[in-house]
């Protein structure tokens, strides 16, 4: 399986990182080795000085598809989840400044937290509400209606470039409020008020 991630999909997050607003979705991949095994802590990698959390709505693809039309995109997923796109922000900034690919800062082991999935019927897909708490403090709060590109548009867009397969995950981008983690922090993600994941930082 593969993990397809969307960058800069919320206007306020684009502002907080002083990025340019893109004219089409920013896309990058994480390898399957990036998935943090369930219930494992996240170990800050030895090469990193600044790991940021980014809470994101996840979409799990349920069948193979290419050049998917936006109006049929809803047939390609049944479940919605929540996760974290851990990012080595210092390394990403260096790579961005040189125009180099981001993978080392985004695709390292453990960088993809994948929480519980729930049937999409349980959600108002136009307005999925989600939150991230760090040590019980609310640090990120998002709603899918603020996405620049919505889930079905993202599926249509990325499937032009990558054949989607059953089990692939799409990380749909993070709202504002990203920040650094320290050892002993505990991150808890909630999707419509339900606990989706809990990660201890080491
Ligand atoms: Zn992200």
């Amino acid at each position: 399986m593969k993990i397809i991630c969307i960058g800069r999909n919320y206007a306020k997050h684009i502002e907080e990182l002083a990025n340019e607003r893109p004219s089409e979705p920013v896309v990058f991949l994480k390898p399957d080795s990036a998935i943090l095994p369930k219930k494992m802590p996240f170990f800050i990698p030895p090469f990193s000085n600044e790991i940021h959390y980014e809470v994101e709505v996840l979409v799990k693809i349920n069948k193979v598809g290419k050049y998917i039309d936006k109006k049929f995109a809803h047939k390609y997923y049944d479940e919605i989840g929540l996760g974290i796109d851990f990012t080595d922000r210092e390394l990403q900034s260096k790579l961005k400044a040189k125009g180099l690919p981001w993978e080392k800062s985004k695709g390292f082991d453990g960088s993809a937290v994948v929480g519980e999935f729930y049937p999409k019927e349980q959600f108002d897909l136009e307005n999925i509400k989600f939150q991230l708490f760090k040590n019980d403090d609310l640090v990120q709060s998002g709603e899918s209606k603020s996405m620049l590109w919505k889930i079905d548009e993202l599926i249509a867009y990325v499937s032009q470039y990558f054949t989607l397969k059953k089990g692939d995950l799409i990380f749909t981008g993070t709202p504002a409020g990203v920040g650094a983690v320290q050892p002993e922090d505990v991150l808890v993600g909630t999707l419509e008020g339900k606990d989706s994941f809990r990660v201890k930082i080491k």
Side-chain angles (χ1 to χ4, degrees):
M1 58 81 68
K2 58 187 171 296
I3 301 168
I4 300 168
C5 301
I6 307 302
R8 303 181 197 170
N9 203 19
Y10 289 84
K12 283 186 186 145
H13 172 62
I14 293 171
E15 285 169 21
E16 76 180 342
L17 293 187
N19 279 321
E20 245 174 70
R21 196 177 172 123
S23 54
E24 48 188 330
V26 172
V27 180
F28 57 95
L29 302 182
K30 289 180 190 265
D32 59 3
S33 49
I35 293 177
L36 183 69
K38 283 234 178 340
K39 305 228 158 57
M40 281 281 288
F42 172 81
F43 290 91
I44 294 176
F47 56 78
S48 180
N49 300 312
E50 190 187 15
I51 295 289
H52 274 198
Y53 50 78
E54 297 188 354
V55 72
E56 312 199 358
V57 170
L58 310 188
V59 178
K60 190 189 280 181
I61 298 298
N62 64 5
K63 62 180 171 188
V64 71
K66 184 164 176 68
Y67 293 118
I68 298 166
D69 192 291
K70 185 185 145 195
K71 68 175 178 289
F72 299 122
H74 64 97
K75 295 176 186 282
Y76 289 82
Y77 62 101
D78 301 314
E79 293 178 292
I80 297 292
L82 195 70
I84 297 179
D85 164 20
F86 276 125
T87 303
D88 183 332
R89 191 71 71 202
E90 185 187 55
L91 179 56
Q92 187 198 24
S93 300
K94 281 186 193 158
L95 294 168
K96 270 160 69 175
K98 291 182 182 166
L100 292 170
W102 297 355
E103 272 69 13
K104 286 194 294 182
S105 67
K106 287 281 199 181
F108 54 86
D109 289 357
S111 62
V113 174
V114 177
E116 290 300 313
F117 281 87
Y118 299 96
K120 69 179 179 191
E121 288 73 26
Q122 294 184 8
F123 302 96
D124 171 3
L125 294 176
E126 296 300 311
N127 195 16
I128 304 167
K129 296 196 177 71
F130 57 100
Q131 298 177 309
L132 183 73
F133 295 85
K134 186 174 89 167
N135 308 327
D136 295 327
D137 293 330
L138 179 63
V139 287
Q140 286 191 279
S141 182
E143 39 193 26
S144 63
K145 72 172 180 203
S146 303
M147 291 179 177
L148 300 181
W149 289 277
K150 305 294 190 291
I151 291 171
D152 290 0
E153 292 171 305
L154 293 173
I155 287 174
Y157 183 81
V158 299
S159 72
Q160 298 176 90
Y161 300 92
F162 308 114
T163 295
L164 298 181
K165 293 185 174 177
K166 184 174 175 162
D168 286 350
L169 298 178
I170 301 178
F171 278 59
T172 59
T174 194
V178 302
V181 292
Q182 303 296 334
E184 303 309 315
D185 283 346
V186 175
L187 299 175
V188 174
T190 65
L191 192 52
E192 296 290 353
K194 288 191 284 262
D195 278 13
S196 177
F197 61 77
R198 179 185 186 86
V199 181
K200 177 113 189 224
I201 310 297
K202 296 275 193 184

